[in-house]
Amino acid sequence: MRLPVAPCALLALTLGTGCEQVLGIEDLEPTAPPTNGSLWALPESAEGYDSLDVRVRPMSDPANVPYGLLNALQFELAGPADGTFLLDSGGYIGLHSDPRGKRVEFVIWGARAAVGPWAEQACDGTVLPCADTFDDNDGFKGGQAIISYDWRANRSYTLQVERVIQDPAGDWWEAIVTDVDSAQRTRIGRIQAQPTWQGLTQAATTWFEIYGEHGTECEGSPDPMATFRAPRANYGQVTAEWVMNLAALCRLPPRSLD
């Protein structure tokens, strides 16, 4: 798949400055209209990439509120799209907050296994950290690893996924969150891919999701703005190009950058 890209300089000239936005991209000018995500493209690679990371700076801290917020980097692993798994080989790593607390989640749909850095514990919503496989009977299957993590607004974090073990039975991918200010790296867990899957594809998405008891909701919630830098692959050697903004899940209140 070849994705069209827009050079950052051209995009800045097109959009101008002083716009209102919900999602910000630090390497680009402000975007309009409000959006909940952006699609990025790395150069095509026959073998795929061994790592992907992004720097995110949450601009709101929804503690003790009756809804959830997720700031995430979404990726996909190269492999045959045979329809065996719903959502195929996609996954994400993200900063999460909801009434159960703050945490970092690492998920790969269709994965074979998952292990945590400290203990093997089912992700049943009672104990963190946890890591296991899941099957919700609606076609969503895969592996997940979750840790408690007290992330803060107006503080930068790096979200990273990397291949750590090549295995004929399925490569193992590890996720790490790094507090940029303190340089503290925290392992989230490892997830085993299917044996036919290869490296990371050229596509990446940065996005946030805000939701309540009945799904995606925005009414009555504060502006969940976040800024993302362009994702990078192979440990910073390759930088993704911005492709497009994604449509907002619902009409979020714009935030002025003037």
Side-chain angles (χ1 to χ4, degrees):
M1 175 179 65
R2 185 172 182 82
L3 300 174
V5 298
C8 292
L10 176 60
L11 183 68
L13 291 173
T14 302
L15 295 175
T17 60
C19 307
E20 291 186 337
Q21 68 173 14
V22 171
L23 178 73
I25 304 171
E26 291 186 356
D27 291 347
L28 306 177
E29 294 295 331
T31 59
T35 175
N36 73 296
S38 291
L39 177 64
W40 305 81
L42 295 157
E44 290 188 87
S45 171
E47 300 298 325
Y49 293 97
D50 292 321
S51 77
L52 185 67
D53 68 78
V54 72
R55 182 175 294 187
V56 57
R57 187 178 182 87
M59 305 301 285
S60 64
D61 188 356
N64 303 314
V65 294
Y67 58 83
L69 174 64
L70 176 63
N71 296 288
L73 168 66
Q74 187 164 315
F75 56 85
E76 62 180 24
L77 300 174
D82 58 8
T84 302
F85 307 105
L86 189 60
L87 300 178
D88 294 320
S89 55
Y92 71 87
I93 171 177
L95 303 176
H96 203 141
S97 179
D98 64 18
R100 292 181 295 172
K102 293 182 181 178
R103 56 194 185 274
V104 184
E105 296 185 350
F106 174 39
V107 172
I108 299 180
W109 293 288
R112 302 188 64 215
V115 295
W118 298 283
E120 303 253 352
Q121 174 71 41
C123 295
D124 58 4
T126 60
V127 178
L128 293 180
C130 69
D132 65 6
T133 56
F134 61 87
D135 180 355
D136 66 2
N137 298 318
D138 290 323
F140 290 98
K141 302 179 181 180
Q144 60 186 338
I146 307 172
I147 63 169
S148 296
Y149 193 79
D150 189 22
W151 59 268
R152 303 296 180 89
N154 300 304
R155 194 174 179 95
S156 294
Y157 302 89
T158 299
L159 306 176
Q160 177 175 308
V161 59
E162 60 179 329
R163 178 161 43 192
V164 291
I165 300 175
Q166 291 187 297
D167 186 337
D171 294 344
W172 286 88
W173 295 83
E174 183 170 72
I176 299 167
V177 58
T178 301
D179 184 311
V180 174
D181 293 334
S182 67
Q184 179 66 46
R185 286 165 48 94
T186 304
R187 296 171 59 204
I188 302 163
R190 293 182 177 182
I191 297 178
Q192 186 180 31
Q194 294 292 331
T196 56
W197 296 353
Q198 302 173 357
L200 294 157
T201 71
Q202 67 173 135
T205 307
T206 53
W207 53 279
F208 68 75
E209 178 179 342
I210 187 167
Y211 62 90
E213 181 180 356
H214 304 294
T216 302
E217 297 179 352
C218 294
E219 185 177 355
S221 65
D223 180 358
M225 178 180 169
T227 60
F228 291 86
R229 288 190 175 180
R232 304 177 306 168
N234 285 3
Y235 305 98
Q237 298 181 32
V238 184
T239 301
E241 294 277 2
W242 180 89
V243 177
M244 67 179 71
N245 286 335
L246 305 177
L249 296 174
C250 54
R251 196 64 182 177
L252 295 163
R255 171 174 178 155
S256 176
L257 298 182
D258 293 338

